Amino acid sequence: IHVANETAQTANLMIELTALRDGRIKVLTARRDLDLAPRQRHTVAASDLIGSFFDISYAYRFQPAQHDATVARLIDRKTGSVLSETVHFPQGHSGSVAEADLSATLAQDDRGWRLDIVAERLARFVHIVDDHFTPDDDFFHLPPGRTHTVRLAPRRGTSERPSGAVRALNLIAPLRYRSLP
């Protein structure tokens, strides 16, 4: 896991690694606090973070895969906010793909429209389709247990309100949303 502090301040971070089976069962979680000086870089081997052998990349294949996704997060320890997140699929996308379990809530605040999406089971390649609004994030993986907020910006010349669908590679039917007048 490669981490870089590209700011001019010391970063108080936590690295979190989670292996999931069936997109929601945690078979392994490992964490480590890390303080990075300004412009400093650091690399942590997953095996060092875990503290024992676990075939995190499914390279050794001693037995059937124990997990189908690995989530790595970089968290700001002061605020608890996720600064970066990535998902690795050790068996590729042809491995175990359990159906996503998503919910979405459309809301309006002082910054405009937002879509708060929550996964109970990992959603792969989440995509937002709205004819009149553009999402500020699209085609992302959404691990379970965290709300992902997507801002919706109106397209030029539209006077419509948000109305669309949340899709994912492993979601059978689109999840529809719309604002009420």
Side-chain angles (χ1 to χ4, degrees), residues 116-147:
D116 295 324
I117 307 169
V118 178
E120 295 298 321
R121 183 177 300 209
L122 179 82
R124 298 181 183 206
F125 298 102
V126 176
H127 174 51
I128 291 120
V129 179
D130 193 309
D131 290 338
H132 303 287
F133 285 76
T134 302
D136 71 347
D137 195 4
D138 210 3
F139 293 103
F140 53 88
H141 304 301
L142 184 55
R146 187 167 76 83
T147 301

Side-chain angles (χ1 to χ4, degrees), residues 92-180:
H93 292 290
S94 61
S96 172
V97 182
E99 182 181 355
D101 184 2
L102 291 176
S103 63
T105 304
L106 181 66
Q108 191 174 25
D109 59 23
D110 59 338
R111 293 178 50 204
W113 290 100
R114 73 172 195 270
L115 196 55
D116 295 324
I117 307 169
V118 178
E120 295 298 321
R121 183 177 300 209
L122 179 82
R124 298 181 183 206
F125 298 102
V126 176
H127 174 51
I128 291 120
V129 179
D130 193 309
D131 290 338
H132 303 287
F133 285 76
T134 302
D136 71 347
D137 195 4
D138 210 3
F139 293 103
F140 53 88
H141 304 301
L142 184 55
R146 187 167 76 83
T147 301
H148 186 81
T149 298
V150 177
R151 291 279 167 191
L152 300 174
R155 294 181 193 218
R156 185 185 306 253
T158 189
S159 60
E160 301 292 323
R161 297 168 69 88
S163 178
V166 177
R167 299 175 182 266
L169 185 66
N170 59 329
L171 187 62
I172 301 297
L175 181 61
R176 304 267 178 214
Y177 67 87
R178 71 182 186 91
S179 65
L180 299 174

